[in-house]
Amino acid sequence: MQEAPAEQLKSGPVMIIYVLYFVGFFIGLTALVGVIMAHMKRGEADAAAKSHYQYQIRTFWFGLIYMIVGVLTAMLIIGYLILLWWFVWTLVRCVKGVLRALDNKPMENPETLLW
């Protein structure tokens, strides 16, 4: 994948979306705004930014699934473990994405469900 201009990854929509995801831990609506932005920007992005957008989109939607399953099973002990997994998984993915964006690098495997 080709390198994106530094401003696009470091200070553009890619970084804004990661910040919205971090704020989403406290104000969930910001994560929704972030995924909408990622969907809208993905089509016009270069390869490096597109890899971040795809990674962000998958982080949101699979994270939402983890959260829903965790909430629905919260009356059982497993629900709290699922919610803990969602929190750690989302946090690690966002930190990894920010670090790669700051280094002006694309995501290595944007389709992964791990890190």
Side-chain angles (χ1 to χ4, degrees):
M1 289 185 196
Q2 71 186 50
E3 296 273 321
E7 64 276 358
Q8 184 171 5
L9 294 182
K10 290 183 181 180
S11 63
V14 167
M15 192 61 72
I16 292 169
I17 293 166
Y18 284 121
V19 170
L20 289 170
Y21 281 11
F22 284 123
V23 174
F25 285 117
F26 306 101
I27 305 169
L29 191 59
T30 62
L32 180 61
V33 171
V35 77
I36 291 169
M37 285 178 61
H39 277 289
M40 292 175 66
K41 291 290 190 180
R42 182 175 53 175
E44 63 192 44
D46 62 29
K50 190 175 282 193
S51 72
H52 280 274
Y53 293 137
Q54 184 175 4
Y55 188 77
Q56 291 166 334
I57 289 167
R58 291 176 65 83
T59 299
F60 177 86
W61 290 113
F62 282 95
L64 182 64
I65 291 168
Y66 288 140
M67 189 186 319
I68 289 170
V69 171
V71 167
L72 291 176
T73 59
M75 62 187 119
L76 309 171
I77 300 295
I78 190 77
Y80 293 105
L81 295 175
I82 293 170
L83 289 172
L84 178 63
W85 166 253
W86 161 78
F87 177 78
V88 171
W89 178 83
T90 304
L91 186 62
V92 169
R93 286 177 65 94
C94 289
V95 168
K96 180 180 178 181
V98 166
L99 292 175
R100 300 239 357 132
L102 287 174
D103 288 342
N104 198 34
K105 295 179 181 176
M107 294 310 299
E108 296 162 330
N109 184 4
E111 294 191 12
T112 186
L113 289 180
L114 294 177
W115 297 285

PDB file of all heavy atoms in Angstrom, residues 58-78:
ATOM      1  N   ARG A  58     -14.957  -1.915  11.057  1.00  0.00           N
ATOM      2  CA  ARG A  58     -15.067  -3.243  11.665  1.00  0.00           C
ATOM      3  C   ARG A  58     -14.978  -3.161  13.187  1.00  0.00           C
ATOM      4  O   ARG A  58     -15.669  -3.905  13.881  1.00  0.00           O
ATOM      5  CB  ARG A  58     -13.991  -4.174  11.105  1.00  0.00           C
ATOM      6  CG  ARG A  58     -14.250  -4.521   9.641  1.00  0.00           C
ATOM      7  CD  ARG A  58     -13.144  -5.364   9.058  1.00  0.00           C
ATOM      8  NE  ARG A  58     -13.045  -6.681   9.669  1.00  0.00           N
ATOM      9  CZ  ARG A  58     -13.769  -7.746   9.343  1.00  0.00           C
ATOM     10  NH1 ARG A  58     -14.680  -7.644   8.410  1.00  0.00           N
ATOM     11  NH2 ARG A  58     -13.571  -8.903   9.935  1.00  0.00           N
ATOM     12  N   THR A  59     -14.162  -2.263  13.708  1.00  0.00           N
ATOM     13  CA  THR A  59     -14.078  -2.076  15.157  1.00  0.00           C
ATOM     14  C   THR A  59     -15.433  -1.664  15.712  1.00  0.00           C
ATOM     15  O   THR A  59     -15.886  -2.198  16.735  1.00  0.00           O
ATOM     16  CB  THR A  59     -13.007  -1.023  15.512  1.00  0.00           C
ATOM     17  OG1 THR A  59     -11.734  -1.487  15.049  1.00  0.00           O
ATOM     18  CG2 THR A  59     -12.947  -0.772  17.009  1.00  0.00           C
ATOM     19  N   PHE A  60     -16.100  -0.733  15.051  1.00  0.00           N
ATOM     20  CA  PHE A  60     -17.398  -0.274  15.542  1.00  0.00           C
ATOM     21  C   PHE A  60     -18.440  -1.388  15.492  1.00  0.00           C
ATOM     22  O   PHE A  60     -19.088  -1.682  16.496  1.00  0.00           O
ATOM     23  CB  PHE A  60     -17.896   0.927  14.737  1.00  0.00           C
ATOM     24  CG  PHE A  60     -19.263   1.380  15.179  1.00  0.00           C
ATOM     25  CD1 PHE A  60     -19.396   2.256  16.234  1.00  0.00           C
ATOM     26  CD2 PHE A  60     -20.408   0.902  14.568  1.00  0.00           C
ATOM     27  CE1 PHE A  60     -20.651   2.661  16.669  1.00  0.00           C
ATOM     28  CE2 PHE A  60     -21.672   1.292  14.994  1.00  0.00           C
ATOM     29  CZ  PHE A  60     -21.793   2.173  16.054  1.00  0.00           C
ATOM     30  N   TRP A  61     -18.626  -2.001  14.319  1.00  0.00           N
ATOM     31  CA  TRP A  61     -19.734  -2.950  14.166  1.00  0.00           C
ATOM     32  C   TRP A  61     -19.542  -4.222  14.978  1.00  0.00           C
ATOM     33  O   TRP A  61     -20.478  -4.711  15.610  1.00  0.00           O
ATOM     34  CB  TRP A  61     -19.989  -3.267  12.689  1.00  0.00           C
ATOM     35  CG  TRP A  61     -20.563  -2.079  11.985  1.00  0.00           C
ATOM     36  CD1 TRP A  61     -19.972  -1.335  11.005  1.00  0.00           C
ATOM     37  CD2 TRP A  61     -21.839  -1.461  12.227  1.00  0.00           C
ATOM     38  NE1 TRP A  61     -20.799  -0.301  10.640  1.00  0.00           N
ATOM     39  CE2 TRP A  61     -21.961  -0.351  11.357  1.00  0.00           C
ATOM     40  CE3 TRP A  61     -22.895  -1.731  13.088  1.00  0.00           C
ATOM     41  CZ2 TRP A  61     -23.080   0.472  11.341  1.00  0.00           C
ATOM     42  CZ3 TRP A  61     -24.014  -0.912  13.070  1.00  0.00           C
ATOM     43  CH2 TRP A  61     -24.098   0.171  12.199  1.00  0.00           C
ATOM     44  N   PHE A  62     -18.339  -4.769  14.996  1.00  0.00           N
ATOM     45  CA  PHE A  62     -18.115  -5.963  15.817  1.00  0.00           C
ATOM     46  C   PHE A  62     -18.120  -5.608  17.294  1.00  0.00           C
ATOM     47  O   PHE A  62     -18.574  -6.389  18.129  1.00  0.00           O
ATOM     48  CB  PHE A  62     -16.833  -6.685  15.400  1.00  0.00           C
ATOM     49  CG  PHE A  62     -17.020  -7.496  14.150  1.00  0.00           C
ATOM     50  CD1 PHE A  62     -16.699  -6.970  12.904  1.00  0.00           C
ATOM     51  CD2 PHE A  62     -17.550  -8.769  14.207  1.00  0.00           C
ATOM     52  CE1 PHE A  62     -16.897  -7.701  11.747  1.00  0.00           C
ATOM     53  CE2 PHE A  62     -17.753  -9.514  13.055  1.00  0.00           C
ATOM     54  CZ  PHE A  62     -17.430  -8.975  11.821  1.00  0.00           C
ATOM     55  N   GLY A  63     -17.634  -4.413  17.635  1.00  0.00           N
ATOM     56  CA  GLY A  63     -17.717  -3.951  19.017  1.00  0.00           C
ATOM     57  C   GLY A  63     -19.156  -3.799  19.473  1.00  0.00           C
ATOM     58  O   GLY A  63     -19.503  -4.131  20.605  1.00  0.00           O
ATOM     59  N   LEU A  64     -20.008  -3.302  18.579  1.00  0.00           N
ATOM     60  CA  LEU A  64     -21.425  -3.168  18.909  1.00  0.00           C
ATOM     61  C   LEU A  64     -22.048  -4.536  19.169  1.00  0.00           C
ATOM     62  O   LEU A  64     -22.833  -4.698  20.104  1.00  0.00           O
ATOM     63  CB  LEU A  64     -22.162  -2.440  17.785  1.00  0.00           C
ATOM     64  CG  LEU A  64     -23.643  -2.171  18.009  1.00  0.00           C
ATOM     65  CD1 LEU A  64     -23.850  -1.238  19.195  1.00  0.00           C
ATOM     66  CD2 LEU A  64     -24.267  -1.582  16.745  1.00  0.00           C
ATOM     67  N   ILE A  65     -21.676  -5.516  18.363  1.00  0.00           N
ATOM     68  CA  ILE A  65     -22.183  -6.881  18.582  1.00  0.00           C
ATOM     69  C   ILE A  65     -21.730  -7.400  19.945  1.00  0.00           C
ATOM     70  O   ILE A  65     -22.531  -7.941  20.707  1.00  0.00           O
ATOM     71  CB  ILE A  65     -21.736  -7.827  17.446  1.00  0.00           C
ATOM     72  CG1 ILE A  65     -22.448  -7.454  16.143  1.00  0.00           C
ATOM     73  CG2 ILE A  65     -21.992  -9.289  17.819  1.00  0.00           C
ATOM     74  CD1 ILE A  65     -21.884  -8.131  14.913  1.00  0.00           C
ATOM     75  N   TYR A  66     -20.435  -7.224  20.266  1.00  0.00           N
ATOM     76  CA  TYR A  66     -19.942  -7.656  21.584  1.00  0.00           C
ATOM     77  C   TYR A  66     -20.712  -6.968  22.698  1.00  0.00           C
ATOM     78  O   TYR A  66     -21.084  -7.593  23.695  1.00  0.00           O
ATOM     79  CB  TYR A  66     -18.448  -7.335  21.752  1.00  0.00           C
ATOM     80  CG  TYR A  66     -17.507  -8.182  20.939  1.00  0.00           C
ATOM     81  CD1 TYR A  66     -16.397  -7.609  20.321  1.00  0.00           C
ATOM     82  CD2 TYR A  66     -17.695  -9.544  20.799  1.00  0.00           C
ATOM     83  CE1 TYR A  66     -15.506  -8.371  19.591  1.00  0.00           C
ATOM     84  CE2 TYR A  66     -16.809 -10.314  20.069  1.00  0.00           C
ATOM     85  CZ  TYR A  66     -15.727  -9.717  19.464  1.00  0.00           C
ATOM     86  OH  TYR A  66     -14.844 -10.469  18.741  1.00  0.00           O
ATOM     87  N   MET A  67     -20.939  -5.664  22.547  1.00  0.00           N
ATOM     88  CA  MET A  67     -21.627  -4.920  23.598  1.00  0.00           C
ATOM     89  C   MET A  67     -23.072  -5.383  23.770  1.00  0.00           C
ATOM     90  O   MET A  67     -23.545  -5.567  24.892  1.00  0.00           O
ATOM     91  CB  MET A  67     -21.609  -3.423  23.300  1.00  0.00           C
ATOM     92  CG  MET A  67     -22.120  -2.617  24.468  1.00  0.00           C
ATOM     93  SD  MET A  67     -22.313  -0.849  24.166  1.00  0.00           S
ATOM     94  CE  MET A  67     -20.900  -0.431  23.241  1.00  0.00           C
ATOM     95  N   ILE A  68     -23.766  -5.593  22.676  1.00  0.00           N
ATOM     96  CA  ILE A  68     -25.161  -6.052  22.761  1.00  0.00           C
ATOM     97  C   ILE A  68     -25.240  -7.418  23.424  1.00  0.00           C
ATOM     98  O   ILE A  68     -26.065  -7.639  24.314  1.00  0.00           O
ATOM     99  CB  ILE A  68     -25.815  -6.059  21.362  1.00  0.00           C
ATOM    100  CG1 ILE A  68     -26.035  -4.626  20.883  1.00  0.00           C
ATOM    101  CG2 ILE A  68     -27.135  -6.827  21.378  1.00  0.00           C
ATOM    102  CD1 ILE A  68     -26.462  -4.519  19.426  1.00  0.00           C
ATOM    103  N   VAL A  69     -24.378  -8.332  22.994  1.00  0.00           N
ATOM    104  CA  VAL A  69     -24.375  -9.671  23.600  1.00  0.00           C
ATOM    105  C   VAL A  69     -24.022  -9.568  25.083  1.00  0.00           C
ATOM    106  O   VAL A  69     -24.636 -10.236  25.923  1.00  0.00           O
ATOM    107  CB  VAL A  69     -23.409 -10.611  22.855  1.00  0.00           C
ATOM    108  CG1 VAL A  69     -23.223 -11.920  23.609  1.00  0.00           C
ATOM    109  CG2 VAL A  69     -23.911 -10.870  21.439  1.00  0.00           C
ATOM    110  N   GLY A  70     -23.064  -8.724  25.430  1.00  0.00           N
ATOM    111  CA  GLY A  70     -22.683  -8.556  26.825  1.00  0.00           C
ATOM    112  C   GLY A  70     -23.812  -8.006  27.676  1.00  0.00           C
ATOM    113  O   GLY A  70     -24.062  -8.491  28.782  1.00  0.00           O
ATOM    114  N   VAL A  71     -24.520  -7.013  27.151  1.00  0.00           N
ATOM    115  CA  VAL A  71     -25.637  -6.424  27.904  1.00  0.00           C
ATOM    116  C   VAL A  71     -26.770  -7.439  28.054  1.00  0.00           C
ATOM    117  O   VAL A  71     -27.369  -7.571  29.123  1.00  0.00           O
ATOM    118  CB  VAL A  71     -26.129  -5.128  27.227  1.00  0.00           C
ATOM    119  CG1 VAL A  71     -27.457  -4.671  27.791  1.00  0.00           C
ATOM    120  CG2 VAL A  71     -25.079  -4.027  27.373  1.00  0.00           C
ATOM    121  N   LEU A  72     -27.064  -8.175  26.974  1.00  0.00           N
ATOM    122  CA  LEU A  72     -28.157  -9.146  27.027  1.00  0.00           C
ATOM    123  C   LEU A  72     -27.868 -10.310  27.970  1.00  0.00           C
ATOM    124  O   LEU A  72     -28.794 -10.930  28.486  1.00  0.00           O
ATOM    125  CB  LEU A  72     -28.474  -9.673  25.629  1.00  0.00           C
ATOM    126  CG  LEU A  72     -29.111  -8.667  24.665  1.00  0.00           C
ATOM    127  CD1 LEU A  72     -29.293  -9.292  23.287  1.00  0.00           C
ATOM    128  CD2 LEU A  72     -30.440  -8.151  25.208  1.00  0.00           C
ATOM    129  N   THR A  73     -26.604 -10.593  28.180  1.00  0.00           N
ATOM    130  CA  THR A  73     -26.242 -11.700  29.071  1.00  0.00           C
ATOM    131  C   THR A  73     -25.688 -11.200  30.407  1.00  0.00           C
ATOM    132  O   THR A  73     -25.092 -11.978  31.151  1.00  0.00           O
ATOM    133  CB  THR A  73     -25.221 -12.633  28.390  1.00  0.00           C
ATOM    134  OG1 THR A  73     -24.055 -11.871  28.039  1.00  0.00           O
ATOM    135  CG2 THR A  73     -25.808 -13.290  27.160  1.00  0.00           C
ATOM    136  N   ALA A  74     -25.901  -9.925  30.708  1.00  0.00           N
ATOM    137  CA  ALA A  74     -25.345  -9.341  31.937  1.00  0.00           C
ATOM    138  C   ALA A  74     -25.925  -9.965  33.195  1.00  0.00           C
ATOM    139  O   ALA A  74     -25.281  -9.948  34.242  1.00  0.00           O
ATOM    140  CB  ALA A  74     -25.556  -7.829  31.951  1.00  0.00           C
ATOM    141  N   MET A  75     -27.117 -10.512  33.080  1.00  0.00           N
ATOM    142  CA  MET A  75     -27.674 -11.148  34.284  1.00  0.00           C
ATOM    143  C   MET A  75     -26.933 -12.437  34.607  1.00  0.00           C
ATOM    144  O   MET A  75     -27.046 -12.964  35.698  1.00  0.00           O
ATOM    145  CB  MET A  75     -29.168 -11.400  34.121  1.00  0.00           C
ATOM    146  CG  MET A  75     -29.557 -12.328  33.011  1.00  0.00           C
ATOM    147  SD  MET A  75     -31.326 -12.366  32.817  1.00  0.00           S
ATOM    148  CE  MET A  75     -31.461 -11.776  31.144  1.00  0.00           C
ATOM    149  N   LEU A  76     -26.168 -12.916  33.659  1.00  0.00           N
ATOM    150  CA  LEU A  76     -25.288 -14.055  33.880  1.00  0.00           C
ATOM    151  C   LEU A  76     -23.868 -13.513  34.025  1.00  0.00           C
ATOM    152  O   LEU A  76     -23.538 -12.453  33.518  1.00  0.00           O
ATOM    153  CB  LEU A  76     -25.363 -15.015  32.687  1.00  0.00           C
ATOM    154  CG  LEU A  76     -26.773 -15.439  32.248  1.00  0.00           C
ATOM    155  CD1 LEU A  76     -26.708 -16.185  30.942  1.00  0.00           C
ATOM    156  CD2 LEU A  76     -27.422 -16.291  33.332  1.00  0.00           C
ATOM    157  N   ILE A  77     -23.026 -14.214  34.641  1.00  0.00           N
ATOM    158  CA  ILE A  77     -21.639 -13.771  34.835  1.00  0.00           C
ATOM    159  C   ILE A  77     -20.942 -13.557  33.491  1.00  0.00           C
ATOM    160  O   ILE A  77     -20.160 -12.632  33.335  1.00  0.00           O
ATOM    161  CB  ILE A  77     -20.852 -14.805  35.678  1.00  0.00           C
ATOM    162  CG1 ILE A  77     -21.491 -14.981  37.046  1.00  0.00           C
ATOM    163  CG2 ILE A  77     -19.389 -14.420  35.797  1.00  0.00           C
ATOM    164  CD1 ILE A  77     -21.449 -13.751  37.919  1.00  0.00           C
ATOM    165  N   ILE A  78     -21.255 -14.371  32.525  1.00  0.00           N
ATOM    166  CA  ILE A  78     -20.592 -14.298  31.225  1.00  0.00           C
ATOM    167  C   ILE A  78     -20.776 -12.939  30.563  1.00  0.00           C
ATOM    168  O   ILE A  78     -19.901 -12.456  29.842  1.00  0.00           O
ATOM    169  CB  ILE A  78     -21.064 -15.453  30.293  1.00  0.00           C
ATOM    170  CG1 ILE A  78     -20.198 -15.536  29.034  1.00  0.00           C
ATOM    171  CG2 ILE A  78     -22.511 -15.269  29.881  1.00  0.00           C
ATOM    172  CD1 ILE A  78     -18.885 -16.174  29.274  1.00  0.00           C
TER     173      ILE A  78
END
